[in-house]
Amino acid sequence: MAGVVQSVQVLASSLGALPPEFVRPEHERPPATTFRGASPLQIPVVDMSLPDAGSRMVEAAREWGIFQAVNHGVPADAVAELQRVGREFFALPQEEKQRYAMDPASGKTEGYGSSVQRSPGDRKIWSDNLFHTISPPAAVNHGFWPEKPRGYREANEAYCGHMRRLTREVLERLSAGLGLEEGAMAEAFGGGDDGLVLMQKVNFYPPCPEPELVLGFAPHTDLCAFTVLVADDVPGLQVSKDGRWYDVQHVPGALMVNVGDQIEILSNGRYRAVLHRVTVSKEKTRMSWPVFVHPRLEYVVAPHPRLVAGEIPAKYDYKAKTFEDYMYCKINKLPQ
């Protein structure tokens, strides 16, 4: 692998003053813009074992663009093993992690890395990450999968199997909520399990001496169809609703499901992609494990034809842009 990672984890372990490239403009700093009132809004929790799970999921996707899924069928030991190998990877010596460094010049997003300043005015984010494809098998490059720690490949392959099942279920429920056949959304995005691309990421947010000046991740919506996220119990994830930021409360055993840009667009705005960001702690490391569900690269970004029929206009028009082009523009902060 090429490239040298300027690790935030290493920086945090020997930091004196906070480097200026991490300091956010005053209006972006978290304490001044976060609502922590006596009764903060509660992100919807959907019990996927109940008969009304589909309608609850649809309501959450319309109103929030995010929900916490419980009784989701993913075994606790599979989640725990995924977390174990992620934690142990970031505990390895830096030279071992560096073997998997991503090369920004290559245009590839897979590998071990940190934030890149794409323009002089950009602010870096306070996090490192490991990122690689887990499905379909033909798209997987095991060169980006660490050989250490023990069991890394097995843990990710086992978790991937559960994510493929959960992905189908979420897409079926959300399709039905639009009045489409259950398989319509999956068919549009990829035509089945081997058309959808699942990307596994491990985020590492080390303690920061001045957390009120930085962000672990800047405000954004996910460019994919949707995201399934495992988080530890350290607070940090925040979502925006009605122009205000709210802390996401930790629900033990839950998986976070975030609606992304492609579902918002395909639904013609009936579902909303959630705007979210990550804050960091002064004392504690925070970690999260998102799986991003991507359409096939040649998918044309547009509302579903049946949702713009008759007198209902399309709210989105990307001039037949493919998902590959959409992704390139969003990553590089170019107009769509």
CSV table of all heavy atoms in Angstrom, one decimal, residues 4-9 22 102 104 111-118 124-130 204:
chain,number,residue,atom,x,y,z
A,4,VAL,N,1.4,7.7,3.4
A,4,VAL,CA,1.8,7.8,4.8
A,4,VAL,C,0.7,8.5,5.6
A,4,VAL,O,0.3,9.6,5.2
A,4,VAL,CB,3.2,8.5,5.0
A,4,VAL,CG1,3.5,8.6,6.5
A,4,VAL,CG2,4.3,7.8,4.3
A,5,VAL,N,0.2,7.8,6.6
A,5,VAL,CA,-1.0,8.4,7.3
A,5,VAL,C,-0.5,9.3,8.4
A,5,VAL,O,0.4,9.0,9.2
A,5,VAL,CB,-1.8,7.2,8.0
A,5,VAL,CG1,-2.9,7.8,8.9
A,5,VAL,CG2,-2.4,6.3,6.9
A,6,GLN,N,-1.0,10.6,8.4
A,6,GLN,CA,-0.8,11.5,9.4
A,6,GLN,C,-1.8,11.2,10.5
A,6,GLN,O,-2.9,11.8,10.6
A,6,GLN,CB,-0.9,12.9,8.9
A,6,GLN,CG,0.1,13.2,7.8
A,6,GLN,CD,1.5,13.1,8.1
A,6,GLN,OE1,2.0,13.6,9.2
A,6,GLN,NE2,2.3,12.4,7.3
A,7,SER,N,-1.5,10.3,11.4
A,7,SER,CA,-2.4,9.7,12.3
A,7,SER,C,-2.8,10.7,13.4
A,7,SER,O,-2.0,11.2,14.1
A,7,SER,CB,-1.8,8.4,13.0
A,7,SER,OG,-2.6,8.0,14.1
A,8,VAL,N,-4.1,10.9,13.6
A,8,VAL,CA,-4.6,11.7,14.7
A,8,VAL,C,-4.4,10.9,16.1
A,8,VAL,O,-4.1,11.5,17.1
A,8,VAL,CB,-6.1,12.0,14.5
A,8,VAL,CG1,-6.7,12.7,15.8
A,8,VAL,CG2,-6.3,12.8,13.3
A,9,GLN,N,-4.4,9.6,16.0
A,9,GLN,CA,-4.2,8.8,17.2
A,9,GLN,C,-2.8,9.1,17.7
A,9,GLN,O,-2.5,9.3,18.9
A,9,GLN,CB,-4.4,7.3,16.9
A,9,GLN,CG,-4.2,6.4,18.0
A,9,GLN,CD,-4.3,4.9,17.6
A,9,GLN,OE1,-4.4,4.6,16.5
A,9,GLN,NE2,-4.4,4.0,18.6
A,22,PHE,N,-7.1,21.8,12.8
A,22,PHE,CA,-8.2,21.1,13.3
A,22,PHE,C,-9.2,22.0,14.0
A,22,PHE,O,-10.3,21.6,14.3
A,22,PHE,CB,-7.7,20.1,14.4
A,22,PHE,CG,-6.9,19.0,13.9
A,22,PHE,CD1,-5.6,19.0,13.8
A,22,PHE,CD2,-7.6,17.8,13.5
A,22,PHE,CE1,-4.8,17.9,13.4
A,22,PHE,CE2,-6.9,16.7,13.1
A,22,PHE,CZ,-5.5,16.8,13.0
A,102,MET,N,-4.1,4.1,3.1
A,102,MET,CA,-4.7,4.4,1.8
A,102,MET,C,-3.8,5.4,1.1
A,102,MET,O,-3.1,6.2,1.7
A,102,MET,CB,-6.1,4.9,2.0
A,102,MET,CG,-6.2,6.2,2.8
A,102,MET,SD,-7.9,6.9,2.9
A,102,MET,CE,-8.7,5.6,3.9
A,104,PRO,N,-4.3,8.6,-1.1
A,104,PRO,CA,-5.3,9.5,-1.7
A,104,PRO,C,-5.1,9.9,-3.2
A,104,PRO,O,-6.0,10.1,-3.9
A,104,PRO,CB,-5.1,10.8,-0.8
A,104,PRO,CG,-4.5,10.3,0.4
A,104,PRO,CD,-3.7,9.1,0.0
A,111,GLY,N,-8.6,1.4,2.8
A,111,GLY,CA,-7.4,1.3,3.6
A,111,GLY,C,-7.5,2.1,4.9
A,111,GLY,O,-8.5,2.5,5.3
A,112,TYR,N,-6.3,2.2,5.5
A,112,TYR,CA,-6.2,2.9,6.8
A,112,TYR,C,-5.8,4.4,6.5
A,112,TYR,O,-4.9,4.7,5.7
A,112,TYR,CB,-5.1,2.2,7.6
A,112,TYR,CG,-4.6,3.0,8.8
A,112,TYR,CD1,-5.4,3.3,9.9
A,112,TYR,CD2,-3.3,3.5,8.8
A,112,TYR,CE1,-4.9,4.0,11.0
A,112,TYR,CE2,-2.8,4.2,9.9
A,112,TYR,CZ,-3.6,4.4,11.0
A,112,TYR,OH,-3.1,5.2,12.1
A,113,GLY,N,-6.5,5.3,7.2
A,113,GLY,CA,-6.1,6.7,6.9
A,113,GLY,C,-6.8,7.7,7.9
A,113,GLY,O,-7.3,7.3,8.9
A,114,SER,N,-6.7,8.9,7.5
A,114,SER,CA,-7.2,10.0,8.3
A,114,SER,C,-7.8,11.0,7.3
A,114,SER,O,-7.8,10.8,6.1
A,114,SER,CB,-6.1,10.6,9.2
A,114,SER,OG,-6.7,11.6,10.1
A,115,SER,N,-8.2,12.2,7.8
A,115,SER,CA,-8.9,13.1,6.9
A,115,SER,C,-7.8,13.8,6.0
A,115,SER,O,-6.6,13.9,6.3
A,115,SER,CB,-9.6,14.2,7.7
A,115,SER,OG,-8.7,15.0,8.4
A,116,VAL,N,-8.3,14.2,4.8
A,116,VAL,CA,-7.4,14.9,3.9
A,116,VAL,C,-8.0,16.3,3.7
A,116,VAL,O,-9.2,16.5,3.5
A,116,VAL,CB,-7.5,14.1,2.5
A,116,VAL,CG1,-6.7,14.9,1.5
A,116,VAL,CG2,-6.9,12.7,2.7
A,117,GLN,N,-7.1,17.3,3.7
A,117,GLN,CA,-7.5,18.6,3.4
A,117,GLN,C,-7.5,18.8,1.8
A,117,GLN,O,-6.5,18.8,1.2
A,117,GLN,CB,-6.5,19.6,4.0
A,117,GLN,CG,-6.6,19.8,5.5
A,117,GLN,CD,-5.6,20.8,6.0
A,117,GLN,OE1,-4.4,20.5,6.0
A,117,GLN,NE2,-6.0,21.9,6.5
A,118,ARG,N,-8.7,18.9,1.3
A,118,ARG,CA,-8.9,18.9,-0.2
A,118,ARG,C,-8.7,20.3,-0.7
A,118,ARG,O,-8.6,20.6,-1.9
A,118,ARG,CB,-10.2,18.3,-0.6
A,118,ARG,CG,-10.3,16.9,-0.2
A,118,ARG,CD,-11.6,16.2,-0.7
A,118,ARG,NE,-11.6,14.8,-0.2
A,118,ARG,CZ,-11.0,13.8,-0.7
A,118,ARG,NH1,-10.3,13.9,-1.8
A,118,ARG,NH2,-11.1,12.6,-0.2
A,124,LYS,N,-9.3,19.8,9.3
A,124,LYS,CA,-9.2,18.4,9.5
A,124,LYS,C,-10.2,17.9,10.6
A,124,LYS,O,-10.5,18.7,11.5
A,124,LYS,CB,-7.8,18.0,9.9
A,124,LYS,CG,-6.8,18.1,8.7
A,124,LYS,CD,-5.4,17.5,9.1
A,124,LYS,CE,-4.5,17.5,8.0
A,124,LYS,NZ,-3.2,16.9,8.3
A,125,ILE,N,-10.6,16.7,10.5
A,125,ILE,CA,-11.4,16.1,11.5
A,125,ILE,C,-10.6,15.2,12.5
A,125,ILE,O,-9.5,14.7,12.1
A,125,ILE,CB,-12.6,15.2,10.9
A,125,ILE,CG1,-12.0,14.2,9.9
A,125,ILE,CG2,-13.5,16.1,10.1
A,125,ILE,CD1,-13.0,13.2,9.4
A,126,TRP,N,-11.1,15.1,13.7
A,126,TRP,CA,-10.3,14.5,14.8
A,126,TRP,C,-10.6,13.0,14.8
A,126,TRP,O,-11.3,12.5,15.7
A,126,TRP,CB,-10.7,15.1,16.1
A,126,TRP,CG,-9.7,14.8,17.2
A,126,TRP,CD1,-9.9,13.8,18.2
A,126,TRP,CD2,-8.4,15.3,17.5
A,126,TRP,NE1,-8.8,13.8,19.0
A,126,TRP,CE2,-7.9,14.7,18.6
A,126,TRP,CE3,-7.7,16.3,16.8
A,126,TRP,CZ2,-6.6,15.0,19.1
A,126,TRP,CZ3,-6.4,16.6,17.4
A,126,TRP,CH2,-5.9,16.0,18.5
A,127,SER,N,-10.1,12.3,13.8
A,127,SER,CA,-10.4,10.8,13.7
A,127,SER,C,-9.5,10.2,12.7
A,127,SER,O,-9.0,10.8,11.8
A,127,SER,CB,-11.8,10.5,13.3
A,127,SER,OG,-12.1,11.0,12.0
A,128,ASP,N,-9.2,8.9,13.0
A,128,ASP,CA,-8.6,8.0,12.0
A,128,ASP,C,-9.6,6.9,11.6
A,128,ASP,O,-10.7,6.7,12.3
A,128,ASP,CB,-7.4,7.3,12.6
A,128,ASP,CG,-6.3,8.2,13.0
A,128,ASP,OD1,-6.2,9.3,12.3
A,128,ASP,OD2,-5.5,7.9,13.9
A,129,ASN,N,-9.4,6.2,10.5
A,129,ASN,CA,-10.3,5.1,10.1
A,129,ASN,C,-9.7,4.0,9.3
A,129,ASN,O,-8.6,4.2,8.8
A,129,ASN,CB,-11.5,5.8,9.4
A,129,ASN,CG,-11.0,6.4,8.1
A,129,ASN,OD1,-10.8,5.7,7.1
A,129,ASN,ND2,-10.9,7.7,8.0
A,130,LEU,N,-10.4,2.9,9.3
A,130,LEU,CA,-10.0,1.8,8.4
A,130,LEU,C,-11.3,1.5,7.6
A,130,LEU,O,-12.4,1.4,8.1
A,130,LEU,CB,-9.6,0.6,9.2
A,130,LEU,CG,-9.3,-0.7,8.5
A,130,LEU,CD1,-8.1,-0.5,7.6
A,130,LEU,CD2,-9.1,-1.9,9.4
A,204,PHE,N,-12.1,5.8,14.6
A,204,PHE,CA,-11.4,5.9,15.8
A,204,PHE,C,-11.2,7.3,16.2
A,204,PHE,O,-10.6,8.1,15.5
A,204,PHE,CB,-10.0,5.2,15.7
A,204,PHE,CG,-9.2,5.2,17.0
A,204,PHE,CD1,-9.3,4.0,17.8
A,204,PHE,CD2,-8.4,6.2,17.4
A,204,PHE,CE1,-8.6,4.0,19.0
A,204,PHE,CE2,-7.7,6.2,18.6
A,204,PHE,CZ,-7.8,5.0,19.4
